[in-house]
mmCIF file of all heavy atoms in Angstrom:
data_model
loop_
_atom_site.group_PDB
_atom_site.id
_atom_site.type_symbol
_atom_site.label_atom_id
_atom_site.label_comp_id
_atom_site.label_asym_id
_atom_site.label_seq_id
_atom_site.Cartn_x
_atom_site.Cartn_y
_atom_site.Cartn_z
ATOM 1 N N LEU A 24 -16.713 10.102 19.593
ATOM 2 C CA LEU A 24 -17.062 9.185 18.506
ATOM 3 C C LEU A 24 -18.424 8.545 18.746
ATOM 4 O O LEU A 24 -19.239 8.425 17.822
ATOM 5 C CB LEU A 24 -15.985 8.102 18.354
ATOM 6 C CG LEU A 24 -14.677 8.568 17.742
ATOM 7 C CD1 LEU A 24 -13.606 7.492 17.880
ATOM 8 C CD2 LEU A 24 -14.866 8.943 16.283
ATOM 9 N N VAL A 25 -18.687 8.150 19.974
ATOM 10 C CA VAL A 25 -19.992 7.582 20.324
ATOM 11 C C VAL A 25 -21.083 8.619 20.057
ATOM 12 O O VAL A 25 -22.130 8.304 19.481
ATOM 13 C CB VAL A 25 -19.999 7.097 21.791
ATOM 14 C CG1 VAL A 25 -21.416 6.861 22.289
ATOM 15 C CG2 VAL A 25 -19.151 5.834 21.937
ATOM 16 N N ALA A 26 -20.840 9.860 20.454
ATOM 17 C CA ALA A 26 -21.829 10.928 20.229
ATOM 18 C C ALA A 26 -22.081 11.125 18.738
ATOM 19 O O ALA A 26 -23.224 11.334 18.315
ATOM 20 C CB ALA A 26 -21.362 12.226 20.881
ATOM 21 N N ALA A 27 -21.037 11.045 17.918
ATOM 22 C CA ALA A 27 -21.201 11.213 16.468
ATOM 23 C C ALA A 27 -22.035 10.081 15.881
ATOM 24 O O ALA A 27 -22.910 10.312 15.033
ATOM 25 C CB ALA A 27 -19.837 11.283 15.785
ATOM 26 N N ILE A 28 -21.795 8.865 16.327
ATOM 27 C CA ILE A 28 -22.586 7.735 15.843
ATOM 28 C C ILE A 28 -24.038 7.898 16.285
ATOM 29 O O ILE A 28 -24.972 7.629 15.521
ATOM 30 C CB ILE A 28 -21.977 6.400 16.309
ATOM 31 C CG1 ILE A 28 -20.654 6.151 15.553
ATOM 32 C CG2 ILE A 28 -22.950 5.244 16.075
ATOM 33 C CD1 ILE A 28 -19.862 4.965 16.046
ATOM 34 N N ASN A 29 -24.236 8.349 17.506
ATOM 35 C CA ASN A 29 -25.602 8.589 17.981
ATOM 36 C C ASN A 29 -26.295 9.686 17.171
ATOM 37 O O ASN A 29 -27.494 9.591 16.876
ATOM 38 C CB ASN A 29 -25.611 8.924 19.474
ATOM 39 C CG ASN A 29 -25.397 7.701 20.344
ATOM 40 O OD1 ASN A 29 -25.672 6.575 19.933
ATOM 41 N ND2 ASN A 29 -24.890 7.914 21.543
ATOM 42 N N ARG A 30 -25.551 10.739 16.785
ATOM 43 C CA ARG A 30 -26.134 11.796 15.951
ATOM 44 C C ARG A 30 -26.527 11.245 14.579
ATOM 45 O O ARG A 30 -27.561 11.626 14.011
ATOM 46 C CB ARG A 30 -25.171 12.969 15.797
ATOM 47 C CG ARG A 30 -25.101 13.868 17.019
ATOM 48 C CD ARG A 30 -24.402 15.188 16.757
ATOM 49 N NE ARG A 30 -23.093 15.096 16.146
ATOM 50 C CZ ARG A 30 -21.951 14.895 16.809
ATOM 51 N NH1 ARG A 30 -21.948 14.766 18.117
ATOM 52 N NH2 ARG A 30 -20.812 14.843 16.162
ATOM 53 N N LEU A 31 -25.699 10.347 14.042
ATOM 54 C CA LEU A 31 -26.021 9.723 12.758
ATOM 55 C C LEU A 31 -27.299 8.885 12.892
ATOM 56 O O LEU A 31 -28.179 8.952 12.037
ATOM 57 C CB LEU A 31 -24.849 8.862 12.287
ATOM 58 C CG LEU A 31 -24.953 8.230 10.909
ATOM 59 C CD1 LEU A 31 -25.150 9.281 9.829
ATOM 60 C CD2 LEU A 31 -23.712 7.394 10.619
ATOM 61 N N ARG A 32 -27.411 8.136 13.980
ATOM 62 C CA ARG A 32 -28.634 7.350 14.223
ATOM 63 C C ARG A 32 -29.850 8.278 14.340
ATOM 64 O O ARG A 32 -30.891 8.025 13.753
ATOM 65 C CB ARG A 32 -28.508 6.492 15.478
ATOM 66 C CG ARG A 32 -29.800 5.740 15.813
ATOM 67 C CD ARG A 32 -29.642 4.668 16.838
ATOM 68 N NE ARG A 32 -28.887 3.535 16.354
ATOM 69 C CZ ARG A 32 -29.319 2.627 15.478
ATOM 70 N NH1 ARG A 32 -30.508 2.755 14.953
ATOM 71 N NH2 ARG A 32 -28.568 1.614 15.122
ATOM 72 N N ASP A 33 -29.702 9.369 15.100
ATOM 73 C CA ASP A 33 -30.807 10.319 15.260
ATOM 74 C C ASP A 33 -31.229 10.897 13.911
ATOM 75 O O ASP A 33 -32.430 11.032 13.634
ATOM 76 C CB ASP A 33 -30.412 11.465 16.202
ATOM 77 C CG ASP A 33 -30.223 11.016 17.640
ATOM 78 O OD1 ASP A 33 -30.668 9.902 18.009
ATOM 79 O OD2 ASP A 33 -29.613 11.789 18.408
ATOM 80 N N ALA A 34 -30.258 11.244 13.078
ATOM 81 C CA ALA A 34 -30.559 11.809 11.757
ATOM 82 C C ALA A 34 -31.305 10.799 10.901
ATOM 83 O O ALA A 34 -32.269 11.143 10.211
ATOM 84 C CB ALA A 34 -29.268 12.264 11.072
ATOM 85 N N MET A 35 -30.871 9.546 10.951
ATOM 86 C CA MET A 35 -31.525 8.506 10.178
ATOM 87 C C MET A 35 -32.965 8.327 10.656
ATOM 88 O O MET A 35 -33.896 8.300 9.859
ATOM 89 C CB MET A 35 -30.775 7.186 10.298
ATOM 90 C CG MET A 35 -31.431 6.046 9.519
ATOM 91 S SD MET A 35 -30.949 4.412 10.091
ATOM 92 C CE MET A 35 -31.788 4.315 11.662
ATOM 93 N N GLU A 36 -33.142 8.227 11.975
ATOM 94 C CA GLU A 36 -34.481 7.992 12.526
ATOM 95 C C GLU A 36 -35.417 9.178 12.280
ATOM 96 O O GLU A 36 -36.629 8.995 12.161
ATOM 97 C CB GLU A 36 -34.382 7.661 14.015
ATOM 98 C CG GLU A 36 -33.761 6.289 14.247
ATOM 99 C CD GLU A 36 -33.519 5.961 15.717
ATOM 100 O OE1 GLU A 36 -33.688 6.845 16.584
ATOM 101 O OE2 GLU A 36 -33.127 4.812 15.980
ATOM 102 N N ALA A 37 -34.848 10.381 12.194
ATOM 103 C CA ALA A 37 -35.658 11.572 11.940
ATOM 104 C C ALA A 37 -35.896 11.789 10.450
ATOM 105 O O ALA A 37 -36.569 12.744 10.059
ATOM 106 C CB ALA A 37 -34.982 12.799 12.558
ATOM 107 N N GLY A 38 -35.339 10.916 9.616
ATOM 108 C CA GLY A 38 -35.529 11.042 8.179
ATOM 109 C C GLY A 38 -34.830 12.245 7.583
ATOM 110 O O GLY A 38 -35.300 12.833 6.619
ATOM 111 N N LYS A 39 -33.690 12.626 8.176
ATOM 112 C CA LYS A 39 -32.939 13.781 7.670
ATOM 113 C C LYS A 39 -32.468 13.522 6.250
ATOM 114 O O LYS A 39 -32.289 12.380 5.825
ATOM 115 C CB LYS A 39 -31.734 14.082 8.559
ATOM 116 C CG LYS A 39 -32.104 14.486 9.970
ATOM 117 C CD LYS A 39 -32.804 15.825 9.989
ATOM 118 C CE LYS A 39 -33.111 16.228 11.417
ATOM 119 N NZ LYS A 39 -33.740 17.497 11.538
ATOM 120 N N GLY A 40 -32.230 14.586 5.544
ATOM 121 C CA GLY A 40 -31.827 14.498 4.154
ATOM 122 C C GLY A 40 -30.395 14.057 3.955
ATOM 123 O O GLY A 40 -29.612 13.977 4.896
#
Side-chain angles (χ1 to χ4, degrees):
L24 287 169
V25 165
I28 289 172
N29 284 336
R30 283 193 308 276
L31 185 58
R32 176 167 290 287
D33 292 344
M35 179 201 71
E36 290 175 352
K39 296 293 182 178

